[in-house]
CSV table of all heavy atoms in Angstrom, one decimal:
chain,number,residue,atom,x,y,z
B,53,MET,N,-33.7,274.7,57.6
B,53,MET,CA,-34.4,275.9,57.5
B,53,MET,C,-34.3,276.9,58.6
B,53,MET,O,-34.1,278.1,58.6
B,53,MET,CB,-35.9,275.6,57.3
B,53,MET,CG,-36.2,275.1,55.9
B,53,MET,SD,-38.0,274.8,55.7
B,53,MET,CE,-38.7,276.2,56.1
B,57,THR,N,-32.4,280.6,58.4
B,57,THR,CA,-33.0,281.9,58.7
B,57,THR,C,-32.7,282.5,60.0
B,57,THR,O,-33.2,283.5,60.4
B,57,THR,CB,-34.6,281.7,58.5
B,57,THR,OG1,-34.9,280.6,59.5
B,57,THR,CG2,-35.1,281.2,57.2
B,136,PHE,N,-61.5,259.9,48.8
B,136,PHE,CA,-60.7,261.0,49.4
B,136,PHE,C,-61.5,261.8,49.9
B,136,PHE,O,-62.2,262.7,49.3
B,136,PHE,CB,-60.0,261.5,48.1
B,136,PHE,CG,-58.6,261.1,47.8
B,136,PHE,CD1,-58.3,260.4,46.8
B,136,PHE,CD2,-57.6,261.3,48.9
B,136,PHE,CE1,-57.1,260.0,46.6
B,136,PHE,CE2,-56.4,260.9,48.6
B,136,PHE,CZ,-56.0,260.2,47.5
B,138,ILE,N,-61.4,265.1,51.5
B,138,ILE,CA,-60.5,266.3,51.7
B,138,ILE,C,-61.6,267.3,52.6
B,138,ILE,O,-61.2,268.3,52.7
B,138,ILE,CB,-60.0,266.9,50.5
B,138,ILE,CG1,-59.3,265.7,49.8
B,138,ILE,CG2,-59.3,268.1,50.6
B,138,ILE,CD1,-58.6,266.2,48.7
B,191,THR,N,-74.6,260.5,41.3
B,191,THR,CA,-74.3,261.1,40.1
B,191,THR,C,-72.9,260.9,39.5
B,191,THR,O,-72.5,261.2,38.5
B,191,THR,CB,-74.4,262.6,40.2
B,191,THR,OG1,-73.4,263.1,41.1
B,191,THR,CG2,-75.8,263.2,40.7
B,193,ALA,N,-70.2,262.2,40.8
B,193,ALA,CA,-69.4,263.3,41.0
B,193,ALA,C,-68.1,262.9,41.8
B,193,ALA,O,-68.3,262.2,42.8
B,193,ALA,CB,-70.2,264.3,41.8
B,197,ILE,N,-63.4,266.9,44.4
B,197,ILE,CA,-63.8,268.1,43.9
B,197,ILE,C,-65.0,268.5,44.9
B,197,ILE,O,-65.0,269.7,45.6
B,197,ILE,CB,-64.5,268.1,42.6
B,197,ILE,CG1,-63.4,267.5,41.6
B,197,ILE,CG2,-64.9,269.5,42.1
B,197,ILE,CD1,-62.1,268.3,41.6
B,201,MET,N,-65.1,271.8,47.5
B,201,MET,CA,-66.2,272.9,47.3
B,201,MET,C,-67.0,273.0,48.5
B,201,MET,O,-67.3,274.1,49.0
B,201,MET,CB,-67.0,272.6,46.1
B,201,MET,CG,-66.2,272.5,44.7
B,201,MET,SD,-65.1,273.9,44.6
B,201,MET,CE,-63.8,273.2,43.6
B,204,TYR,N,-65.5,275.1,51.3
B,204,TYR,CA,-65.7,276.7,51.2
B,204,TYR,C,-67.1,277.0,51.5
B,204,TYR,O,-67.5,278.0,52.1
B,204,TYR,CB,-65.2,277.1,49.8
B,204,TYR,CG,-63.8,277.1,49.6
B,204,TYR,CD1,-63.1,276.1,49.1
B,204,TYR,CD2,-63.1,278.3,50.2
B,204,TYR,CE1,-61.7,276.2,49.0
B,204,TYR,CE2,-61.6,278.2,50.2
B,204,TYR,CZ,-61.1,277.3,49.6
B,204,TYR,OH,-59.8,277.3,49.5
B,208,TYR,N,-68.4,279.7,54.4
B,208,TYR,CA,-69.2,280.9,54.0
B,208,TYR,C,-70.5,280.8,54.8
B,208,TYR,O,-71.0,281.8,55.3
B,208,TYR,CB,-69.4,281.1,52.6
B,208,TYR,CG,-68.1,281.6,52.0
B,208,TYR,CD1,-67.6,280.9,50.9
B,208,TYR,CD2,-67.5,282.8,52.4
B,208,TYR,CE1,-66.4,281.4,50.2
B,208,TYR,CE2,-66.3,283.3,51.8
B,208,TYR,CZ,-65.7,282.6,50.9
B,208,TYR,OH,-64.7,282.9,50.2
B,212,TYR,N,-71.6,283.5,57.5
B,212,TYR,CA,-72.9,284.2,57.6
B,212,TYR,C,-73.6,284.1,58.9
B,212,TYR,O,-74.1,285.0,59.4
B,212,TYR,CB,-73.7,283.7,56.3
B,212,TYR,CG,-75.1,284.1,56.3
B,212,TYR,CD1,-75.5,285.5,56.1
B,212,TYR,CD2,-76.2,283.3,56.7
B,212,TYR,CE1,-76.7,285.9,56.1
B,212,TYR,CE2,-77.5,283.8,56.7
B,212,TYR,CZ,-77.7,285.1,56.4
B,212,TYR,OH,-79.0,285.7,56.5
B,215,ARG,N,-72.5,286.2,61.7
B,215,ARG,CA,-72.7,287.6,61.8
B,215,ARG,C,-74.2,287.9,61.7
B,215,ARG,O,-74.6,289.1,61.5
B,215,ARG,CB,-71.9,288.3,60.8
B,215,ARG,CG,-72.3,288.1,59.4
B,215,ARG,CD,-71.5,289.0,58.5
B,215,ARG,NE,-72.0,288.9,57.1
B,215,ARG,CZ,-73.1,289.5,56.6
B,215,ARG,NH1,-73.8,290.2,57.4
B,215,ARG,NH2,-73.5,289.2,55.4
B,341,LEU,N,-52.5,259.8,56.3
B,341,LEU,CA,-51.7,259.2,55.5
B,341,LEU,C,-50.4,258.7,56.4
B,341,LEU,O,-50.0,257.6,56.0
B,341,LEU,CB,-51.1,260.2,54.6
B,341,LEU,CG,-52.0,260.9,53.5
B,341,LEU,CD1,-51.5,262.0,52.8
B,341,LEU,CD2,-52.4,259.7,52.5
B,374,PRO,N,-41.1,280.9,63.8
B,374,PRO,CA,-42.6,280.8,63.5
B,374,PRO,C,-43.1,279.5,63.5
B,374,PRO,O,-42.5,278.5,63.1
B,374,PRO,CB,-42.6,281.4,62.1
B,374,PRO,CG,-41.3,282.1,61.9
B,374,PRO,CD,-40.3,281.6,62.9
B,376,GLU,N,-45.1,278.0,61.7
B,376,GLU,CA,-45.3,277.5,60.4
B,376,GLU,C,-44.3,276.3,60.2
B,376,GLU,O,-44.6,275.5,59.2
B,376,GLU,CB,-45.4,278.5,59.3
B,376,GLU,CG,-46.7,279.4,59.3
B,376,GLU,CD,-46.5,280.5,60.0
B,376,GLU,OE1,-45.4,280.8,60.6
B,376,GLU,OE2,-47.5,281.3,60.2
B,379,VAL,N,-45.8,273.1,60.0
B,379,VAL,CA,-46.5,272.7,59.0
B,379,VAL,C,-45.6,272.0,57.8
B,379,VAL,O,-46.0,271.1,57.2
B,379,VAL,CB,-47.3,274.0,58.4
B,379,VAL,CG1,-48.1,273.5,57.2
B,379,VAL,CG2,-48.2,274.5,59.4
B,380,VAL,N,-44.4,272.8,57.6
B,380,VAL,CA,-43.5,272.3,56.7
B,380,VAL,C,-43.0,270.9,57.0
B,380,VAL,O,-43.0,269.9,56.1
B,380,VAL,CB,-42.4,273.2,56.6
B,380,VAL,CG1,-41.3,272.7,55.6
B,380,VAL,CG2,-42.8,274.7,56.2
B,383,ALA,N,-45.7,268.4,56.3
B,383,ALA,CA,-45.9,268.1,54.9
B,383,ALA,C,-44.8,267.2,54.4
B,383,ALA,O,-45.0,266.3,53.6
B,383,ALA,CB,-46.1,269.4,54.1
B,387,LEU,N,-44.8,263.5,52.5
B,387,LEU,CA,-44.2,263.4,51.2
B,387,LEU,C,-43.3,262.2,51.1
B,387,LEU,O,-43.3,261.4,50.2
B,387,LEU,CB,-43.6,264.7,50.7
B,387,LEU,CG,-44.3,265.7,49.8
B,387,LEU,CD1,-43.5,266.8,49.3
B,387,LEU,CD2,-45.0,265.0,48.7
B,390,ALA,N,-45.0,258.9,51.6
B,390,ALA,CA,-45.7,258.6,50.3
B,390,ALA,C,-44.9,258.0,49.3
B,390,ALA,O,-45.4,257.3,48.4
B,390,ALA,CB,-46.5,259.7,49.9
B,391,ALA,N,-43.5,258.3,49.4
B,391,ALA,CA,-42.6,257.8,48.3
B,391,ALA,C,-41.6,257.0,49.0
B,391,ALA,O,-40.4,257.4,49.1
B,391,ALA,CB,-42.0,258.9,47.5
B,394,LEU,N,-37.9,256.9,47.4
B,394,LEU,CA,-37.1,258.1,47.6
B,394,LEU,C,-36.3,258.0,49.0
B,394,LEU,O,-35.1,258.2,49.0
B,394,LEU,CB,-38.0,259.3,47.7
B,394,LEU,CG,-37.4,260.6,47.9
B,394,LEU,CD1,-36.4,261.0,46.7
B,394,LEU,CD2,-38.3,261.8,48.1
B,413,PRO,N,-47.5,252.8,46.4
B,413,PRO,CA,-47.8,253.9,47.4
B,413,PRO,C,-49.0,253.6,48.2
B,413,PRO,O,-49.7,252.7,47.8
B,413,PRO,CB,-48.0,255.1,46.4
B,413,PRO,CG,-48.3,254.6,45.2
B,413,PRO,CD,-47.6,253.2,45.0
B,415,VAL,N,-52.0,254.8,49.2
B,415,VAL,CA,-53.5,254.6,49.1
B,415,VAL,C,-53.9,254.3,47.6
B,415,VAL,O,-55.0,254.1,47.2
B,415,VAL,CB,-54.2,255.9,49.4
B,415,VAL,CG1,-55.4,255.6,50.3
B,415,VAL,CG2,-53.3,256.7,50.2
B,416,THR,N,-52.8,254.4,46.7
B,416,THR,CA,-53.2,254.4,45.3
B,416,THR,C,-54.0,253.0,45.0
B,416,THR,O,-54.8,253.2,44.1
B,416,THR,CB,-51.9,254.3,44.5
B,416,THR,OG1,-51.1,255.5,44.9
B,416,THR,CG2,-52.1,254.3,43.0
S,203,PHE,N,-43.1,263.0,42.0
S,203,PHE,CA,-43.7,262.3,43.0
S,203,PHE,C,-45.0,261.5,42.2
S,203,PHE,O,-45.2,260.2,42.6
S,203,PHE,CB,-44.3,262.9,44.1
S,203,PHE,CG,-43.3,263.2,45.3
S,203,PHE,CD1,-42.5,264.4,45.2
S,203,PHE,CD2,-43.1,262.3,46.2
S,203,PHE,CE1,-41.5,264.6,46.1
S,203,PHE,CE2,-42.2,262.5,47.1
S,203,PHE,CZ,-41.2,263.6,47.2
S,207,TYR,N,-42.4,258.3,41.4
S,207,TYR,CA,-42.7,257.5,42.6
S,207,TYR,C,-44.1,257.0,42.6
S,207,TYR,O,-44.4,256.3,43.7
S,207,TYR,CB,-42.3,258.4,43.8
S,207,TYR,CG,-40.8,258.6,43.9
S,207,TYR,CD1,-40.4,259.9,43.7
S,207,TYR,CD2,-39.9,257.5,43.9
S,207,TYR,CE1,-39.0,260.2,43.9
S,207,TYR,CE2,-38.6,257.8,44.0
S,207,TYR,CZ,-38.2,259.1,43.9
S,207,TYR,OH,-36.7,259.3,44.0
S,208,LEU,N,-45.0,257.3,41.6
S,208,LEU,CA,-46.3,256.8,41.6
S,208,LEU,C,-47.1,257.1,42.8
S,208,LEU,O,-48.0,256.3,43.1
S,208,LEU,CB,-46.3,255.3,41.3
S,208,LEU,CG,-45.5,254.8,40.1
S,208,LEU,CD1,-45.5,253.2,40.0
S,208,LEU,CD2,-45.9,255.4,38.9
S,209,VAL,N,-46.8,258.2,43.4
S,209,VAL,CA,-47.7,258.6,44.7
S,209,VAL,C,-48.9,259.1,44.0
S,209,VAL,O,-49.0,259.7,43.0
S,209,VAL,CB,-47.0,259.6,45.4
S,209,VAL,CG1,-47.7,259.9,46.7
S,209,VAL,CG2,-45.5,259.2,45.9
S,210,ASP,N,-50.0,258.9,44.8
S,210,ASP,CA,-51.3,259.3,44.2
S,210,ASP,C,-51.3,260.8,44.1
S,210,ASP,O,-50.8,261.6,45.0
S,210,ASP,CB,-52.4,258.9,45.3
S,210,ASP,CG,-53.8,259.2,44.6
S,210,ASP,OD1,-54.1,260.4,44.7
S,210,ASP,OD2,-54.4,258.2,44.3
S,213,ILE,N,-53.0,263.2,46.6
S,213,ILE,CA,-52.2,263.2,47.8
S,213,ILE,C,-51.0,264.3,47.7
S,213,ILE,O,-50.8,265.2,48.4
S,213,ILE,CB,-51.7,262.0,48.3
S,213,ILE,CG1,-52.8,261.1,48.7
S,213,ILE,CG2,-50.7,262.1,49.4
S,213,ILE,CD1,-52.4,259.7,49.2
S,216,VAL,N,-52.4,267.9,47.4
S,216,VAL,CA,-52.8,268.4,48.7
S,216,VAL,C,-51.6,268.7,49.6
S,216,VAL,O,-51.5,269.8,50.1
S,216,VAL,CB,-53.8,267.4,49.5
S,216,VAL,CG1,-54.1,267.8,50.9
S,216,VAL,CG2,-55.1,267.3,48.7
S,217,VAL,N,-50.6,267.8,49.7
S,217,VAL,CA,-49.5,268.1,50.5
S,217,VAL,C,-48.7,269.2,50.1
S,217,VAL,O,-48.1,269.9,50.8
S,217,VAL,CB,-48.7,266.6,50.6
S,217,VAL,CG1,-47.4,266.9,51.4
S,217,VAL,CG2,-49.5,265.5,51.3
S,220,VAL,N,-50.1,272.3,51.2
S,220,VAL,CA,-49.7,272.5,52.6
S,220,VAL,C,-48.3,273.0,52.8
S,220,VAL,O,-47.9,273.9,53.6
S,220,VAL,CB,-50.1,271.3,53.4
S,220,VAL,CG1,-49.6,271.4,55.0
S,220,VAL,CG2,-51.5,270.9,53.4
S,224,GLY,N,-46.9,276.4,54.3
S,224,GLY,CA,-46.1,276.5,55.3
S,224,GLY,C,-44.7,277.1,55.1
S,224,GLY,O,-44.4,278.0,55.9
S,225,LEU,N,-44.1,276.9,53.9
S,225,LEU,CA,-42.8,277.4,53.5
S,225,LEU,C,-42.9,278.9,53.5
S,225,LEU,O,-42.2,279.7,54.1
S,225,LEU,CB,-42.3,276.9,52.2
S,225,LEU,CG,-41.4,275.7,52.3
S,225,LEU,CD1,-41.1,275.3,51.0
S,225,LEU,CD2,-40.1,276.1,53.0
S,227,SER,N,-45.3,281.0,54.5
S,227,SER,CA,-45.6,281.7,55.8
S,227,SER,C,-44.5,281.8,56.7
S,227,SER,O,-44.2,282.6,57.4
S,227,SER,CB,-46.9,280.9,56.4
S,227,SER,OG,-47.9,280.8,55.6
S,228,PHE,N,-43.7,280.7,56.9
S,228,PHE,CA,-42.5,280.5,57.6
S,228,PHE,C,-41.5,281.6,57.3
S,228,PHE,O,-41.1,282.5,58.0
S,228,PHE,CB,-41.9,279.2,57.6
S,228,PHE,CG,-40.5,279.0,58.4
S,228,PHE,CD1,-40.5,279.0,59.6
S,228,PHE,CD2,-39.4,279.1,57.6
S,228,PHE,CE1,-39.3,278.9,60.2
S,228,PHE,CE2,-38.1,279.1,58.1
S,228,PHE,CZ,-38.0,278.9,59.5
S,231,SER,N,-42.7,285.2,58.0
S,231,SER,CA,-42.7,285.6,59.4
S,231,SER,C,-41.1,285.9,59.7
S,231,SER,O,-40.9,286.8,60.5
S,231,SER,CB,-43.2,284.6,60.4
S,231,SER,OG,-44.5,284.2,59.8
S,232,GLN,N,-40.3,284.9,59.2
S,232,GLN,CA,-39.0,284.9,59.6
S,232,GLN,C,-38.1,285.9,58.9
S,232,GLN,O,-37.2,286.6,59.5
S,232,GLN,CB,-38.4,283.4,59.6
S,232,GLN,CG,-37.1,283.2,60.1
S,232,GLN,CD,-37.0,282.9,61.5
S,232,GLN,OE1,-38.0,283.5,62.2
S,232,GLN,NE2,-36.2,282.3,62.1
S,344,LYS,N,-49.1,286.4,54.2
S,344,LYS,CA,-49.4,284.9,54.4
S,344,LYS,C,-50.8,284.6,53.8
S,344,LYS,O,-51.8,285.2,53.9
S,344,LYS,CB,-49.6,284.6,55.9
S,344,LYS,CG,-48.3,284.5,56.8
S,344,LYS,CD,-48.6,284.2,58.1
S,344,LYS,CE,-47.4,284.4,59.0
S,344,LYS,NZ,-47.7,284.1,60.4
S,349,GLY,N,-57.3,280.6,48.6
S,349,GLY,CA,-58.2,279.6,47.9
S,349,GLY,C,-58.4,279.9,46.4
S,349,GLY,O,-59.2,279.2,45.8
S,352,PHE,N,-58.1,276.9,44.3
S,352,PHE,CA,-59.2,276.0,44.2
S,352,PHE,C,-60.3,276.4,43.4
S,352,PHE,O,-61.1,275.6,42.7
S,352,PHE,CB,-59.7,275.6,45.7
S,352,PHE,CG,-58.7,274.8,46.5
S,352,PHE,CD1,-58.1,275.4,47.6
S,352,PHE,CD2,-58.4,273.6,46.0
S,352,PHE,CE1,-57.0,274.7,48.3
S,352,PHE,CE2,-57.5,272.8,46.8
S,352,PHE,CZ,-56.8,273.4,48.0
S,356,ALA,N,-62.0,274.7,40.2
S,356,ALA,CA,-63.4,274.6,39.8
S,356,ALA,C,-63.6,275.1,38.5
S,356,ALA,O,-64.5,274.5,37.8
S,356,ALA,CB,-64.0,275.5,41.0
S,359,ILE,N,-62.9,272.4,36.0
S,359,ILE,CA,-63.8,271.4,35.9
S,359,ILE,C,-65.1,271.9,35.3
S,359,ILE,O,-65.8,271.3,34.4
S,359,ILE,CB,-64.1,270.9,37.3
S,359,ILE,CG1,-62.9,270.2,37.7
S,359,ILE,CG2,-65.4,269.9,37.2
S,359,ILE,CD1,-63.0,270.0,39.2
S,393,PRO,N,-76.8,288.4,51.3
S,393,PRO,CA,-75.5,288.5,52.1
S,393,PRO,C,-74.3,288.2,51.2
S,393,PRO,O,-74.4,287.4,50.4
S,393,PRO,CB,-75.8,287.4,53.1
S,393,PRO,CG,-77.3,287.2,53.2
S,393,PRO,CD,-77.8,287.6,51.7
S,395,GLU,N,-71.8,286.6,51.8
S,395,GLU,CA,-71.3,285.1,51.8
S,395,GLU,C,-71.8,284.3,50.8
S,395,GLU,O,-71.1,283.5,50.3
S,395,GLU,CB,-71.5,284.6,53.3
S,395,GLU,CG,-70.6,285.1,54.3
S,395,GLU,CD,-71.1,286.4,54.9
S,395,GLU,OE1,-72.2,286.9,54.5
S,395,GLU,OE2,-70.5,286.9,55.9
S,398,LEU,N,-70.1,285.0,47.5
S,398,LEU,CA,-68.8,284.2,47.5
S,398,LEU,C,-68.9,282.9,47.4
S,398,LEU,O,-68.0,282.1,47.0
S,398,LEU,CB,-68.0,284.7,48.8
S,398,LEU,CG,-67.6,286.2,49.0
S,398,LEU,CD1,-67.2,286.4,50.3
S,398,LEU,CD2,-66.5,286.4,47.9
S,402,TYR,N,-68.3,277.8,44.1
S,402,TYR,CA,-68.2,276.5,44.7
S,402,TYR,C,-69.6,275.7,44.5
S,402,TYR,O,-69.6,274.6,44.2
S,402,TYR,CB,-67.9,276.6,46.2
S,402,TYR,CG,-66.8,277.4,46.4
S,402,TYR,CD1,-66.8,278.7,47.1
S,402,TYR,CD2,-65.5,277.0,46.0
S,402,TYR,CE1,-65.6,279.4,47.2
S,402,TYR,CE2,-64.4,277.8,46.1
S,402,TYR,CZ,-64.4,279.0,46.8
S,402,TYR,OH,-63.4,279.8,47.0
S,409,VAL,N,-70.2,269.2,38.6
S,409,VAL,CA,-69.6,267.9,38.7
S,409,VAL,C,-70.8,266.8,38.8
S,409,VAL,O,-70.7,265.7,38.6
S,409,VAL,CB,-68.6,267.6,39.8
S,409,VAL,CG1,-67.3,268.3,39.4
S,409,VAL,CG2,-69.1,268.0,41.1
S,410,ALA,N,-71.9,267.3,39.5
S,410,ALA,CA,-72.9,266.3,39.7
S,410,ALA,C,-73.7,266.0,38.4
S,410,ALA,O,-74.7,265.3,38.5
S,410,ALA,CB,-73.9,266.7,40.8
Side-chain angles (χ1 to χ4, degrees):
Chain B
M53 283 179 54
T57 54
F136 263 115
I138 304 192
T191 67
I197 309 301
M201 300 306 145
Y204 285 99
Y208 287 122
Y212 169 71
R215 67 173 185 83
L341 292 172
E376 286 92 3
V379 179
V380 178
L387 265 189
L394 179 68
V415 226
T416 304
Chain S
F203 276 88
Y207 294 117
L208 307 179
V209 184
D210 192 282
I213 292 181
V216 169
V217 174
V220 176
L225 264 179
S227 302
F228 172 78
S231 314
Q232 186 81 331
K344 276 186 198 176
F352 291 114
I359 295 157
E395 286 86 358
L398 291 170
Y402 308 108
V409 290

